[in-house]
Amino acid sequence: MRNGDLAAQMAAGGIVHKINFGLNLPQIKEIAEAALAGTLPDNPHLPTSEERRELAHHLWENRTTRESRLIAPMLMNAEEISAEVAAEMLADCATTEEADILCHRLLRLHTDAMPIAASTYAAATSDMQRYASLRLMMNLLSAGKGDMPKIRQAAEKELGHLSIVTRRLARQIIEEADFLTEP
């Protein structure tokens, strides 16, 4: 499934990984679904829960391959990871793409998603950590599950950082909060 043209376009656009197969998200999702169903062409093995968790962990730990970090959250179950592990994963995102997938596919479903987002934001030491926290907050806000005043406050604070990485997301959060509170 390698797409060399897409990988080259990503590299030209500044998305650099040691290994990048250039797969799009539907392809990555297809691979994850086949792995979970035991229908991979070269490995028709239905994984046990433990095998699935171990594979997801190893893929997440592989920081050199773009697709490994994106497929890992698709193999995990939110109820199987602790809040501490979820917060570590959120703080460990290296790209906005990783943060987007992690938050949408996994962390927004975690029972402690809002406290995870808020504590990770409060402890953030980089633009990427703040982005990842805000992305999770945005997912929660859109689903009506987050603490709207706390999320809006974080977004307003973020605008003060003048970060090119987080500015657009912070504005989107404020616009969504305004829309949701309109009479």
Side-chain angles (χ1 to χ4, degrees), residues 85-117:
V85 168
E88 288 170 10
M89 291 177 74
L90 190 62
D92 189 41
C93 289
T95 67
T96 56
E97 184 179 38
E98 285 177 16
D100 294 346
I101 300 304
L102 177 67
C103 293
H104 177 73
R105 295 292 302 201
L106 181 67
L107 297 185
R108 70 184 176 95
L109 304 172
H110 198 282
T111 57
D112 294 320
M114 187 61 210
I116 291 166

PDB file of all heavy atoms in Angstrom, residues 85-117:
ATOM      1  N   VAL A  85      -1.551   6.595  31.681  1.00  0.00           N
ATOM      2  CA  VAL A  85      -1.015   6.206  30.370  1.00  0.00           C
ATOM      3  C   VAL A  85      -1.606   7.097  29.286  1.00  0.00           C
ATOM      4  O   VAL A  85      -0.902   7.550  28.379  1.00  0.00           O
ATOM      5  CB  VAL A  85      -1.281   4.707  30.084  1.00  0.00           C
ATOM      6  CG1 VAL A  85      -0.991   4.366  28.631  1.00  0.00           C
ATOM      7  CG2 VAL A  85      -0.444   3.841  31.018  1.00  0.00           C
ATOM      8  N   ALA A  86      -2.895   7.386  29.383  1.00  0.00           N
ATOM      9  CA  ALA A  86      -3.539   8.255  28.395  1.00  0.00           C
ATOM     10  C   ALA A  86      -2.895   9.642  28.401  1.00  0.00           C
ATOM     11  O   ALA A  86      -2.619  10.211  27.339  1.00  0.00           O
ATOM     12  CB  ALA A  86      -5.034   8.354  28.676  1.00  0.00           C
ATOM     13  N   ALA A  87      -2.633  10.178  29.578  1.00  0.00           N
ATOM     14  CA  ALA A  87      -1.992  11.494  29.679  1.00  0.00           C
ATOM     15  C   ALA A  87      -0.571  11.457  29.123  1.00  0.00           C
ATOM     16  O   ALA A  87      -0.130  12.404  28.459  1.00  0.00           O
ATOM     17  CB  ALA A  87      -1.989  11.965  31.125  1.00  0.00           C
ATOM     18  N   GLU A  88       0.147  10.370  29.377  1.00  0.00           N
ATOM     19  CA  GLU A  88       1.502  10.232  28.831  1.00  0.00           C
ATOM     20  C   GLU A  88       1.461  10.201  27.304  1.00  0.00           C
ATOM     21  O   GLU A  88       2.298  10.826  26.643  1.00  0.00           O
ATOM     22  CB  GLU A  88       2.167   8.958  29.354  1.00  0.00           C
ATOM     23  CG  GLU A  88       2.569   9.020  30.799  1.00  0.00           C
ATOM     24  CD  GLU A  88       3.009   7.670  31.350  1.00  0.00           C
ATOM     25  OE1 GLU A  88       3.194   6.705  30.572  1.00  0.00           O
ATOM     26  OE2 GLU A  88       3.165   7.574  32.585  1.00  0.00           O
ATOM     27  N   MET A  89       0.510   9.474  26.749  1.00  0.00           N
ATOM     28  CA  MET A  89       0.382   9.412  25.294  1.00  0.00           C
ATOM     29  C   MET A  89       0.052  10.793  24.721  1.00  0.00           C
ATOM     30  O   MET A  89       0.629  11.206  23.711  1.00  0.00           O
ATOM     31  CB  MET A  89      -0.688   8.396  24.887  1.00  0.00           C
ATOM     32  CG  MET A  89      -0.309   6.962  25.172  1.00  0.00           C
ATOM     33  SD  MET A  89      -1.626   5.800  24.758  1.00  0.00           S
ATOM     34  CE  MET A  89      -1.519   5.812  22.963  1.00  0.00           C
ATOM     35  N   LEU A  90      -0.859  11.495  25.375  1.00  0.00           N
ATOM     36  CA  LEU A  90      -1.249  12.816  24.899  1.00  0.00           C
ATOM     37  C   LEU A  90      -0.053  13.768  24.904  1.00  0.00           C
ATOM     38  O   LEU A  90       0.186  14.491  23.937  1.00  0.00           O
ATOM     39  CB  LEU A  90      -2.382  13.369  25.773  1.00  0.00           C
ATOM     40  CG  LEU A  90      -3.063  14.633  25.288  1.00  0.00           C
ATOM     41  CD1 LEU A  90      -3.735  14.425  23.931  1.00  0.00           C
ATOM     42  CD2 LEU A  90      -4.089  15.108  26.315  1.00  0.00           C
ATOM     43  N   ALA A  91       0.720  13.730  25.961  1.00  0.00           N
ATOM     44  CA  ALA A  91       1.892  14.605  26.075  1.00  0.00           C
ATOM     45  C   ALA A  91       3.021  14.182  25.141  1.00  0.00           C
ATOM     46  O   ALA A  91       3.916  14.971  24.857  1.00  0.00           O
ATOM     47  CB  ALA A  91       2.383  14.622  27.517  1.00  0.00           C
ATOM     48  N   ASP A  92       2.970  12.951  24.642  1.00  0.00           N
ATOM     49  CA  ASP A  92       4.047  12.398  23.820  1.00  0.00           C
ATOM     50  C   ASP A  92       3.840  12.607  22.321  1.00  0.00           C
ATOM     51  O   ASP A  92       4.682  12.239  21.528  1.00  0.00           O
ATOM     52  CB  ASP A  92       4.180  10.892  24.124  1.00  0.00           C
ATOM     53  CG  ASP A  92       5.406  10.275  23.485  1.00  0.00           C
ATOM     54  OD1 ASP A  92       6.472  10.906  23.489  1.00  0.00           O
ATOM     55  OD2 ASP A  92       5.281   9.144  22.965  1.00  0.00           O
ATOM     56  N   CYS A  93       2.732  13.207  21.919  1.00  0.00           N
ATOM     57  CA  CYS A  93       2.477  13.400  20.489  1.00  0.00           C
ATOM     58  C   CYS A  93       3.563  14.275  19.876  1.00  0.00           C
ATOM     59  O   CYS A  93       3.900  15.330  20.410  1.00  0.00           O
ATOM     60  CB  CYS A  93       1.115  14.042  20.272  1.00  0.00           C
ATOM     61  SG  CYS A  93      -0.264  12.943  20.632  1.00  0.00           S
ATOM     62  N   ALA A  94       4.079  13.820  18.746  1.00  0.00           N
ATOM     63  CA  ALA A  94       5.154  14.547  18.071  1.00  0.00           C
ATOM     64  C   ALA A  94       4.638  15.423  16.933  1.00  0.00           C
ATOM     65  O   ALA A  94       5.324  16.348  16.514  1.00  0.00           O
ATOM     66  CB  ALA A  94       6.192  13.563  17.539  1.00  0.00           C
ATOM     67  N   THR A  95       3.438  15.133  16.425  1.00  0.00           N
ATOM     68  CA  THR A  95       2.883  15.907  15.313  1.00  0.00           C
ATOM     69  C   THR A  95       1.403  16.172  15.564  1.00  0.00           C
ATOM     70  O   THR A  95       0.750  15.465  16.345  1.00  0.00           O
ATOM     71  CB  THR A  95       3.022  15.159  13.968  1.00  0.00           C
ATOM     72  OG1 THR A  95       2.173  13.994  13.993  1.00  0.00           O
ATOM     73  CG2 THR A  95       4.465  14.749  13.685  1.00  0.00           C
ATOM     74  N   THR A  96       0.880  17.155  14.868  1.00  0.00           N
ATOM     75  CA  THR A  96      -0.553  17.440  14.987  1.00  0.00           C
ATOM     76  C   THR A  96      -1.372  16.261  14.462  1.00  0.00           C
ATOM     77  O   THR A  96      -2.434  15.963  14.998  1.00  0.00           O
ATOM     78  CB  THR A  96      -0.927  18.734  14.236  1.00  0.00           C
ATOM     79  OG1 THR A  96      -0.528  18.623  12.873  1.00  0.00           O
ATOM     80  CG2 THR A  96      -0.263  19.943  14.867  1.00  0.00           C
ATOM     81  N   GLU A  97      -0.867  15.591  13.451  1.00  0.00           N
ATOM     82  CA  GLU A  97      -1.577  14.431  12.899  1.00  0.00           C
ATOM     83  C   GLU A  97      -1.703  13.334  13.952  1.00  0.00           C
ATOM     84  O   GLU A  97      -2.780  12.750  14.124  1.00  0.00           O
ATOM     85  CB  GLU A  97      -0.838  13.910  11.666  1.00  0.00           C
ATOM     86  CG  GLU A  97      -1.551  12.773  10.967  1.00  0.00           C
ATOM     87  CD  GLU A  97      -0.808  12.286   9.732  1.00  0.00           C
ATOM     88  OE1 GLU A  97       0.447  12.238   9.748  1.00  0.00           O
ATOM     89  OE2 GLU A  97      -1.493  11.921   8.758  1.00  0.00           O
ATOM     90  N   GLU A  98      -0.631  13.056  14.673  1.00  0.00           N
ATOM     91  CA  GLU A  98      -0.686  12.058  15.748  1.00  0.00           C
ATOM     92  C   GLU A  98      -1.707  12.474  16.804  1.00  0.00           C
ATOM     93  O   GLU A  98      -2.509  11.661  17.265  1.00  0.00           O
ATOM     94  CB  GLU A  98       0.678  11.913  16.430  1.00  0.00           C
ATOM     95  CG  GLU A  98       1.701  11.169  15.648  1.00  0.00           C
ATOM     96  CD  GLU A  98       3.044  11.124  16.354  1.00  0.00           C
ATOM     97  OE1 GLU A  98       3.128  11.399  17.576  1.00  0.00           O
ATOM     98  OE2 GLU A  98       4.042  10.804  15.676  1.00  0.00           O
ATOM     99  N   ALA A  99      -1.657  13.735  17.205  1.00  0.00           N
ATOM    100  CA  ALA A  99      -2.580  14.222  18.230  1.00  0.00           C
ATOM    101  C   ALA A  99      -4.029  14.106  17.762  1.00  0.00           C
ATOM    102  O   ALA A  99      -4.903  13.670  18.523  1.00  0.00           O
ATOM    103  CB  ALA A  99      -2.245  15.669  18.595  1.00  0.00           C
ATOM    104  N   ASP A 100      -4.275  14.495  16.509  1.00  0.00           N
ATOM    105  CA  ASP A 100      -5.638  14.426  15.975  1.00  0.00           C
ATOM    106  C   ASP A 100      -6.185  13.002  16.015  1.00  0.00           C
ATOM    107  O   ASP A 100      -7.322  12.766  16.448  1.00  0.00           O
ATOM    108  CB  ASP A 100      -5.676  14.950  14.538  1.00  0.00           C
ATOM    109  CG  ASP A 100      -5.372  16.435  14.425  1.00  0.00           C
ATOM    110  OD1 ASP A 100      -5.386  17.148  15.456  1.00  0.00           O
ATOM    111  OD2 ASP A 100      -5.115  16.887  13.290  1.00  0.00           O
ATOM    112  N   ILE A 101      -5.384  12.046  15.556  1.00  0.00           N
ATOM    113  CA  ILE A 101      -5.826  10.652  15.509  1.00  0.00           C
ATOM    114  C   ILE A 101      -5.970  10.082  16.911  1.00  0.00           C
ATOM    115  O   ILE A 101      -6.965   9.423  17.237  1.00  0.00           O
ATOM    116  CB  ILE A 101      -4.863   9.789  14.660  1.00  0.00           C
ATOM    117  CG1 ILE A 101      -4.800  10.303  13.225  1.00  0.00           C
ATOM    118  CG2 ILE A 101      -5.255   8.316  14.709  1.00  0.00           C
ATOM    119  CD1 ILE A 101      -6.132  10.379  12.517  1.00  0.00           C
ATOM    120  N   LEU A 102      -4.991  10.330  17.766  1.00  0.00           N
ATOM    121  CA  LEU A 102      -5.040   9.826  19.141  1.00  0.00           C
ATOM    122  C   LEU A 102      -6.295  10.323  19.857  1.00  0.00           C
ATOM    123  O   LEU A 102      -7.002   9.546  20.502  1.00  0.00           O
ATOM    124  CB  LEU A 102      -3.781  10.242  19.906  1.00  0.00           C
ATOM    125  CG  LEU A 102      -3.736   9.849  21.378  1.00  0.00           C
ATOM    126  CD1 LEU A 102      -3.646   8.329  21.540  1.00  0.00           C
ATOM    127  CD2 LEU A 102      -2.560  10.536  22.067  1.00  0.00           C
ATOM    128  N   CYS A 103      -6.574  11.600  19.730  1.00  0.00           N
ATOM    129  CA  CYS A 103      -7.733  12.175  20.429  1.00  0.00           C
ATOM    130  C   CYS A 103      -9.053  11.688  19.850  1.00  0.00           C
ATOM    131  O   CYS A 103      -9.971  11.345  20.594  1.00  0.00           O
ATOM    132  CB  CYS A 103      -7.661  13.695  20.387  1.00  0.00           C
ATOM    133  SG  CYS A 103      -6.279  14.359  21.339  1.00  0.00           S
ATOM    134  N   HIS A 104      -9.134  11.655  18.516  1.00  0.00           N
ATOM    135  CA  HIS A 104     -10.399  11.259  17.886  1.00  0.00           C
ATOM    136  C   HIS A 104     -10.679   9.765  18.025  1.00  0.00           C
ATOM    137  O   HIS A 104     -11.809   9.361  18.322  1.00  0.00           O
ATOM    138  CB  HIS A 104     -10.405  11.645  16.405  1.00  0.00           C
ATOM    139  CG  HIS A 104     -11.638  11.193  15.700  1.00  0.00           C
ATOM    140  ND1 HIS A 104     -12.861  11.800  15.896  1.00  0.00           N
ATOM    141  CD2 HIS A 104     -11.855  10.180  14.837  1.00  0.00           C
ATOM    142  CE1 HIS A 104     -13.770  11.175  15.174  1.00  0.00           C
ATOM    143  NE2 HIS A 104     -13.193  10.191  14.517  1.00  0.00           N
ATOM    144  N   ARG A 105      -9.682   8.946  17.792  1.00  0.00           N
ATOM    145  CA  ARG A 105      -9.893   7.499  17.758  1.00  0.00           C
ATOM    146  C   ARG A 105      -9.883   6.854  19.147  1.00  0.00           C
ATOM    147  O   ARG A 105     -10.425   5.768  19.311  1.00  0.00           O
ATOM    148  CB  ARG A 105      -8.827   6.828  16.893  1.00  0.00           C
ATOM    149  CG  ARG A 105      -8.854   7.192  15.435  1.00  0.00           C
ATOM    150  CD  ARG A 105     -10.061   6.673  14.746  1.00  0.00           C
ATOM    151  NE  ARG A 105     -10.119   5.239  14.882  1.00  0.00           N
ATOM    152  CZ  ARG A 105     -10.789   4.427  14.114  1.00  0.00           C
ATOM    153  NH1 ARG A 105     -11.469   4.917  13.122  1.00  0.00           N
ATOM    154  NH2 ARG A 105     -10.797   3.137  14.326  1.00  0.00           N
ATOM    155  N   LEU A 106      -9.268   7.513  20.136  1.00  0.00           N
ATOM    156  CA  LEU A 106      -9.093   6.839  21.415  1.00  0.00           C
ATOM    157  C   LEU A 106      -9.454   7.702  22.625  1.00  0.00           C
ATOM    158  O   LEU A 106     -10.362   7.370  23.369  1.00  0.00           O
ATOM    159  CB  LEU A 106      -7.642   6.342  21.537  1.00  0.00           C
ATOM    160  CG  LEU A 106      -7.279   5.583  22.795  1.00  0.00           C
ATOM    161  CD1 LEU A 106      -8.011   4.233  22.835  1.00  0.00           C
ATOM    162  CD2 LEU A 106      -5.775   5.367  22.859  1.00  0.00           C
ATOM    163  N   LEU A 107      -8.743   8.795  22.821  1.00  0.00           N
ATOM    164  CA  LEU A 107      -8.840   9.500  24.100  1.00  0.00           C
ATOM    165  C   LEU A 107     -10.176  10.177  24.354  1.00  0.00           C
ATOM    166  O   LEU A 107     -10.596  10.282  25.501  1.00  0.00           O
ATOM    167  CB  LEU A 107      -7.697  10.502  24.240  1.00  0.00           C
ATOM    168  CG  LEU A 107      -6.300   9.891  24.260  1.00  0.00           C
ATOM    169  CD1 LEU A 107      -5.257  10.959  24.537  1.00  0.00           C
ATOM    170  CD2 LEU A 107      -6.188   8.746  25.255  1.00  0.00           C
ATOM    171  N   ARG A 108     -10.881  10.605  23.327  1.00  0.00           N
ATOM    172  CA  ARG A 108     -12.197  11.233  23.551  1.00  0.00           C
ATOM    173  C   ARG A 108     -13.187  10.235  24.150  1.00  0.00           C
ATOM    174  O   ARG A 108     -14.190  10.621  24.739  1.00  0.00           O
ATOM    175  CB  ARG A 108     -12.747  11.821  22.256  1.00  0.00           C
ATOM    176  CG  ARG A 108     -13.163  10.784  21.243  1.00  0.00           C
ATOM    177  CD  ARG A 108     -13.613  11.427  19.925  1.00  0.00           C
ATOM    178  NE  ARG A 108     -13.917  10.424  18.936  1.00  0.00           N
ATOM    179  CZ  ARG A 108     -15.120   9.951  18.701  1.00  0.00           C
ATOM    180  NH1 ARG A 108     -16.152  10.416  19.384  1.00  0.00           N
ATOM    181  NH2 ARG A 108     -15.311   9.027  17.782  1.00  0.00           N
ATOM    182  N   LEU A 109     -12.878   8.950  24.025  1.00  0.00           N
ATOM    183  CA  LEU A 109     -13.748   7.900  24.549  1.00  0.00           C
ATOM    184  C   LEU A 109     -13.384   7.500  25.981  1.00  0.00           C
ATOM    185  O   LEU A 109     -14.101   6.723  26.606  1.00  0.00           O
ATOM    186  CB  LEU A 109     -13.674   6.667  23.636  1.00  0.00           C
ATOM    187  CG  LEU A 109     -14.002   6.921  22.166  1.00  0.00           C
ATOM    188  CD1 LEU A 109     -13.710   5.680  21.337  1.00  0.00           C
ATOM    189  CD2 LEU A 109     -15.436   7.388  22.008  1.00  0.00           C
ATOM    190  N   HIS A 110     -12.284   8.010  26.492  1.00  0.00           N
ATOM    191  CA  HIS A 110     -11.819   7.659  27.833  1.00  0.00           C
ATOM    192  C   HIS A 110     -12.719   8.329  28.870  1.00  0.00           C
ATOM    193  O   HIS A 110     -13.111   9.483  28.713  1.00  0.00           O
ATOM    194  CB  HIS A 110     -10.366   8.113  28.016  1.00  0.00           C
ATOM    195  CG  HIS A 110      -9.668   7.441  29.140  1.00  0.00           C
ATOM    196  ND1 HIS A 110      -9.870   7.792  30.456  1.00  0.00           N
ATOM    197  CD2 HIS A 110      -8.769   6.425  29.140  1.00  0.00           C
ATOM    198  CE1 HIS A 110      -9.123   7.036  31.222  1.00  0.00           C
ATOM    199  NE2 HIS A 110      -8.452   6.180  30.440  1.00  0.00           N
ATOM    200  N   THR A 111     -13.041   7.616  29.926  1.00  0.00           N
ATOM    201  CA  THR A 111     -13.935   8.178  30.947  1.00  0.00           C
ATOM    202  C   THR A 111     -13.339   9.400  31.640  1.00  0.00           C
ATOM    203  O   THR A 111     -14.085  10.234  32.142  1.00  0.00           O
ATOM    204  CB  THR A 111     -14.301   7.111  32.010  1.00  0.00           C
ATOM    205  OG1 THR A 111     -13.097   6.604  32.581  1.00  0.00           O
ATOM    206  CG2 THR A 111     -15.110   5.990  31.411  1.00  0.00           C
ATOM    207  N   ASP A 112     -12.033   9.515  31.669  1.00  0.00           N
ATOM    208  CA  ASP A 112     -11.369  10.652  32.304  1.00  0.00           C
ATOM    209  C   ASP A 112     -10.808  11.636  31.283  1.00  0.00           C
ATOM    210  O   ASP A 112      -9.831  12.333  31.559  1.00  0.00           O
ATOM    211  CB  ASP A 112     -10.239  10.158  33.210  1.00  0.00           C
ATOM    212  CG  ASP A 112     -10.743   9.364  34.391  1.00  0.00           C
ATOM    213  OD1 ASP A 112     -11.771   9.760  34.971  1.00  0.00           O
ATOM    214  OD2 ASP A 112     -10.116   8.344  34.735  1.00  0.00           O
ATOM    215  N   ALA A 113     -11.416  11.704  30.109  1.00  0.00           N
ATOM    216  CA  ALA A 113     -10.860  12.523  29.029  1.00  0.00           C
ATOM    217  C   ALA A 113     -10.697  13.994  29.420  1.00  0.00           C
ATOM    218  O   ALA A 113      -9.651  14.592  29.142  1.00  0.00           O
ATOM    219  CB  ALA A 113     -11.727  12.395  27.777  1.00  0.00           C
ATOM    220  N   MET A 114     -11.679  14.592  30.055  1.00  0.00           N
ATOM    221  CA  MET A 114     -11.571  16.017  30.396  1.00  0.00           C
ATOM    222  C   MET A 114     -10.468  16.264  31.419  1.00  0.00           C
ATOM    223  O   MET A 114      -9.646  17.168  31.214  1.00  0.00           O
ATOM    224  CB  MET A 114     -12.927  16.565  30.869  1.00  0.00           C
ATOM    225  CG  MET A 114     -12.937  18.072  31.080  1.00  0.00           C
ATOM    226  SD  MET A 114     -12.563  18.990  29.563  1.00  0.00           S
ATOM    227  CE  MET A 114     -11.780  20.449  30.259  1.00  0.00           C
ATOM    228  N   PRO A 115     -10.401  15.506  32.519  1.00  0.00           N
ATOM    229  CA  PRO A 115      -9.281  15.730  33.447  1.00  0.00           C
ATOM    230  C   PRO A 115      -7.917  15.472  32.798  1.00  0.00           C
ATOM    231  O   PRO A 115      -6.946  16.166  33.096  1.00  0.00           O
ATOM    232  CB  PRO A 115      -9.545  14.730  34.586  1.00  0.00           C
ATOM    233  CG  PRO A 115     -10.996  14.436  34.515  1.00  0.00           C
ATOM    234  CD  PRO A 115     -11.386  14.561  33.072  1.00  0.00           C
ATOM    235  N   ILE A 116      -7.855  14.505  31.881  1.00  0.00           N
ATOM    236  CA  ILE A 116      -6.597  14.224  31.172  1.00  0.00           C
ATOM    237  C   ILE A 116      -6.204  15.434  30.333  1.00  0.00           C
ATOM    238  O   ILE A 116      -5.053  15.891  30.374  1.00  0.00           O
ATOM    239  CB  ILE A 116      -6.734  12.958  30.293  1.00  0.00           C
ATOM    240  CG1 ILE A 116      -6.847  11.715  31.168  1.00  0.00           C
ATOM    241  CG2 ILE A 116      -5.565  12.840  29.315  1.00  0.00           C
ATOM    242  CD1 ILE A 116      -7.327  10.471  30.422  1.00  0.00           C
ATOM    243  N   ALA A 117      -7.150  15.972  29.587  1.00  0.00           N
ATOM    244  CA  ALA A 117      -6.873  17.131  28.732  1.00  0.00           C
ATOM    245  C   ALA A 117      -6.463  18.343  29.570  1.00  0.00           C
ATOM    246  O   ALA A 117      -5.480  19.022  29.252  1.00  0.00           O
ATOM    247  CB  ALA A 117      -8.093  17.458  27.875  1.00  0.00           C
TER     248      ALA A 117
END
